[in-house]
Amino acid sequence: MTVSSFYPPQRTLMGPGPSDVNPRVLAAMARPTIGHLDPEFVRMMDEIKELLQYAFKTKNELTLPISAPGSAGMETCFANLVEPGDKVLVCINGVFGMRMVENVTRMGGEAITVNNDWGTPVDVSQVEEALIANPEVRVLAFVHAETSTGVRSDAQALCKLAQAHNCLSIVDTVTSLAGVELQVDEWGCDAVYSGTQKCLSCPPGISPITMSEKAVAAIQARNTPVQSWFQDLSLVMGYWGGGAKRAYHHTAPVNALYGLHESLVMLQEEGLENSWQRHADMHGMLRDGAEAMGLDFLVDESCRLPQLNSICIPDGVDEAAVRSQLLNDYDLEIGAGLGALAGKVWRVGLMGQAAKATNVRLFLDAMGTALGD
Ligand SMILES: *Cc1c(COP(=O)(O)O)cnc(C)c1O
């Protein structure tokens, strides 16, 4: 069989990620590959670090992109901060909280959970009670922006609680970074990971992380080596943090990092706060149009993520048929419900470059037609 080159269709990506990628980012990724220890590449790595500090609103020295998707950023945080026997309090209000439990267990830790209904935020007072009841807990882990439901939890209050109870916080910001307010230093978040394919609008495959001084000290004070060689941050730091004397750890995904660099340059051009505001504005436009069509949102407006809209499927509507129609007739991708919400909601993403008025109009037009049929 002779296989010819692959040309993907032109889609508009309004699901839970990946989101639309700007041509500038794609063009950056098509530039010539250079050596990953080339002084020019090292210079670019330093710029990425600075730009990530800007996006996370942090001065943390340990701020870098992990060469693997968001799930690997998650695993890196748990692998470095959890030792066998450690108790970790995990907040579950959707799919990604459940994955955190899986990570704790596989690191040999013991997960204690606080469970909240899908579609509601993490209950801060319940977390406080659990921390009081379990004083030996060392780490509090939660998801800032639950992509499976479209809920924003109060990261500031939760990180404050962690500090008051002498815990480190692990915060999933895969969907929140650049889409809603996130203040790593001001809120006192300790171990924070994200992804490139949500509100940064890059192709998937990279996971920016940042660690506070307290988190770094905890890694340095470990009794056991990190069980994953690749994810051991004390080794990765020699590559990313070694200044001119960079030691080989692994070969960085050179062209993927060109793309991340360009997307962060674009974020800086727009301004982080302006990006948050644009996501809020586009959500407002989507909400008004969807409600005018008689559609309801799963999540209360007070804790709704502008970048991930869970829209309830009206009675009698074949949700999968609607998604197929949007894809086939409009080249428009939206997401299905996940886990407990499968068959109950569509997930409509307004992430990064996808958060623009033409996309909102396209969605409203397409959905109006599909529901009319
Ligand atoms: C997408 C996502 C992840 C996982 O990222 P991948 O790049 O798919 O591995 C983790 N947490 C949240 C909240 C996400 O939305």
Side-chain angles (χ1 to χ4, degrees):
M1 175 175 85
T2 308
V3 177
S4 44
S5 305
F6 177 68
Y7 293 95
Q10 284 277 339
R11 307 281 201 213
T12 300
L13 301 179
M14 296 179 73
S19 56
D20 283 344
V21 179
N22 190 282
R24 269 178 66 179
V25 171
L26 295 175
M29 293 175 76
R31 289 176 195 146
T33 304
I34 58 174
H36 71 122
L37 297 172
D38 186 308
E40 278 303 297
F41 188 72
V42 171
R43 190 179 63 74
M44 192 208 62
M45 282 166 82
D46 287 337
E47 287 182 355
I48 288 181
K49 184 172 158 184
E50 258 177 55
L51 290 162
L52 285 177
Q53 287 170 329
Y54 168 74
F56 278 123
K57 285 202 159 273
T58 183
K59 295 194 167 63
N60 287 342
E61 194 51 39
L62 181 43
T63 301
L64 54 83
I66 298 290
S67 305
S71 305
M74 177 189 282
E75 200 156 316
T76 299
C77 290
F78 285 92
N80 282 270
L81 290 179
V82 179
E83 291 195 70
D86 284 352
K87 290 195 174 162
V88 180
L89 187 67
V90 181
C91 308
I92 304 177
N93 62 336
V95 164
F96 293 100
M98 289 165 68
R99 277 198 192 175
M100 286 177 152
V101 171
E102 192 61 34
N103 270 272
V104 171
T105 318
R106 290 186 187 216
M107 304 306 159
E110 186 189 326
I112 299 165
T113 61
V114 166
N115 293 276
N116 291 111
D117 287 344
W118 290 42
T120 65
V122 173
D123 185 331
V124 177
S125 57
Q126 240 174 288
V127 172
E128 185 168 25
E129 281 165 28
L131 287 171
I132 291 168
N134 299 280
E136 64 292 358
V137 164
R138 285 192 60 232
V139 176
L140 170 67
F142 66 92
V143 179
H144 184 204
E146 243 306 343
T147 322
S148 61
T149 62
V151 164
R152 167 175 16 191
S153 288
D154 189 343
Q156 184 173 17
L158 290 167
C159 288
K160 212 168 147 190
L161 262 188
Q163 284 181 337
H165 291 266
N166 218 5
C167 290
L168 293 170
S169 48
I170 295 181
V171 189
D172 180 319
T173 66
V174 176
T175 284
S176 56
L177 184 67
V180 288
E181 182 179 13
L182 169 65
Q183 310 260 6
V184 166
D185 284 359
E186 204 177 304
W187 295 352
C189 316
D190 290 307
V192 182
Y193 61 90
S194 192
T196 46
Q197 78 276 27
K198 314 260 166 131
C199 297
L200 290 180
S201 265
C202 246
I206 306 266
S207 176
I209 63 160
T210 186
M211 298 265 170
S212 71
E213 280 176 18
K214 270 201 303 187
V216 173
I219 296 169
Q220 284 163 345
R222 284 179 64 99
N223 296 314
T224 54
V226 172
Q227 49 90 24
S228 157
W229 175 84
F230 186 72
Q231 291 176 329
D232 184 345
L233 286 173
S234 57
L235 303 177
V236 176
M237 271 306 278
Y239 183 45
W240 270 90
K245 276 199 141 346
R246 221 156 273 238
Y248 166 67
H249 178 260
H250 66 281
T251 311
V254 172
N255 293 57
L257 289 175
Y258 297 165
L260 176 60
H261 183 274
E262 189 68 13
S263 77
L264 291 168
V265 165
M266 291 180 68
L267 179 65
Q268 193 182 46
E269 283 171 7
E270 179 179 21
L272 184 59
E273 286 77 5
N274 294 334
S275 176
W276 299 340
Q277 188 59 48
R278 174 169 52 82
H279 285 85
D281 292 345
M282 290 304 109
H283 164 71
M285 185 177 167
L286 179 85
R287 175 204 55 211
D288 292 350
E291 285 178 351
M293 260 191 260
L295 293 169
D296 294 322
F297 287 77
L298 174 80
V299 175
D300 189 73
E301 190 129 27
S302 61
C303 56
R304 193 184 296 162
L305 289 171
Q307 66 271 48
L308 196 286
N309 296 274
S310 286
I311 294 181
C312 302
I313 293 156
D315 287 342
V317 170
D318 179 347
E319 74 87 15
V322 169
R323 280 186 293 114
S324 300
Q325 190 177 345
L326 264 48
L327 193 66
N328 295 331
D329 295 355
Y330 295 85
D331 279 310
L332 173 60
E333 180 185 277
I334 63 168
L338 207 56
L341 294 174
K344 300 204 170 93
V345 298
W346 290 299
R347 289 182 302 151
V348 182
L350 291 170
M351 296 181 176
Q353 295 291 311
K356 60 179 181 210
T358 46
N359 278 20
V360 175
R361 277 186 226 110
L362 174 69
F363 167 76
L364 292 172
D365 184 33
M367 187 53 91
T369 305
L371 293 178
D373 285 354

